[in-house]
Amino acid sequence: MPRIKQAFVLGAGLGTRLRPLTDELPKPLVPIFQKPLITFALDHLIDIGIEKIFINTHRLPEMFAQTFPENRYAGKAIEFVNEPVLLETGGGIKNIEIELGGDPFITYSGDVLTDIALPALIDEHFKQGNDVTLALRHTGLGSAVAFRQNRVIDISNRYGEPGEYDFANIAVWDPSIFARIPPKQKISFIPILGDWIDHGGKLGGVALEDGKWFNLGSRAEYFEVHRMIGEERWRPAHVKGAEWWRQVHPSAIVDPSAQLRGCSVVGKDCRVGAGAVLEETILWPGAQITSKSELVGCIVRARKTVTGTQHRHLK
């Protein structure tokens, strides 16, 4: 029997670093090949036996409803919790205290794409009897977590201990966390954890360096994920769905004279006209590329029409 049966997926972020791509679509729903980003996290969680999934939303909650029209994914029910006022990570956890109840749970950022070994994180949590266990990694993005002898002893140099790991945006929590978070407040869980260290909290971690880990925070990383999938044929074992990695969606119409070069992706219901050239370019569902257009290093948002020569544009 899985020891963790419920998960809270963080889907309420603003996606500011990916704008304008996130102007009309929440960041967790941006397409990776033919699959919404957040569904990679859901596949990962379902693969380890998660039965109850909560997702918080803030901007454009109707887009989540369109993506999951019956509030279900892969046979599992999803409960969406909208935050009209963004509560951040700590406030978001506190906001669903009643729903999560007295059982442990896992949190997973909805904009992370990874195949790190979640069972190792869960096993360590119960083996050490932790209040919280953080997935840690050398991500190249930060090193705020000081980790010594299976214990997190500092975060963001609060107690003068230099960090060497980054938080990999996945954690296992005991319900004891709820008593640490003030209700109805916008607050990150990072200062809460920092304070807990000084008050006897058992904060553990696992360094998970194997596998791939992407935090889709930039255009460059968005392209890198597509390169890994397209050129290096990265296929996370837990990911479900038939041929989600297709370069061209079956519903798309690409003129026979058009050229797709490098890691280019054509999404659902797209149209690519005669003589068009797409090089390292990603088309979101419904994008239209007129005849003889040339796009290099571009991302074209859903239902946008592009004509002429475009280089490294976000349309």
Side-chain angles (χ1 to χ4, degrees), residues 55-106:
I55 301 176
N56 67 339
T57 64
H58 175 62
R59 288 183 62 250
L60 305 170
E62 68 277 7
M63 301 304 294
F64 285 91
Q66 291 178 24
T67 304
F68 305 97
E70 298 179 354
N71 287 1
R72 298 187 69 81
Y73 177 76
K76 304 296 181 185
I78 299 173
E79 183 169 334
F80 291 96
V81 183
N82 185 248
E83 298 175 8
V85 176
L86 192 62
L87 295 172
E88 293 194 17
T89 52
I93 290 173
K94 183 69 172 181
N95 191 45
I96 59 169
E97 177 178 1
I98 293 174
E99 289 85 350
L100 289 170
D103 295 323
F105 59 96
I106 188 168

Side-chain angles (χ1 to χ4, degrees), residues 168-207:
N169 299 101
I170 302 172
V172 179
W173 303 81
D174 188 83
S176 55
I177 180 60
F178 295 128
R180 310 293 311 180
I181 309 175
K184 295 181 173 56
Q185 286 193 26
K186 179 179 180 179
I187 187 169
S188 165
F189 62 60
I190 297 302
I192 291 168
L193 294 183
D195 183 65
W196 210 357
I197 290 171
D198 201 36
H199 290 83
K202 296 187 69 175
L203 277 62
V206 179

Side-chain angles (χ1 to χ4, degrees), residues 287-302:
Q288 311 283 315
I289 309 301
T290 62
S291 298
K292 302 188 183 305
S293 295
E294 180 178 310
L295 279 68
V296 179
C298 295
I299 303 170
V300 181
R301 287 179 285 163

Side-chain angles (χ1 to χ4, degrees), residues 121-183:
L121 182 70
I122 294 168
D123 289 347
E124 177 70 4
H125 181 79
F126 288 101
K127 176 183 175 183
Q128 299 293 340
N130 292 334
D131 292 309
V132 59
T133 307
L134 306 179
L136 304 174
R137 188 178 176 94
H138 290 104
T139 65
L141 301 175
S143 56
V145 181
F147 184 56
R148 314 276 192 276
Q149 298 179 327
N150 299 321
R151 281 281 173 266
V152 172
I153 62 170
D154 202 351
I155 300 177
S156 300
N157 206 35
R158 179 169 180 164
Y159 303 109
E161 295 287 348
E164 70 272 50
Y165 287 100
D166 195 6
F167 172 46
N169 299 101
I170 302 172
V172 179
W173 303 81
D174 188 83
S176 55
I177 180 60
F178 295 128
R180 310 293 311 180
I181 309 175

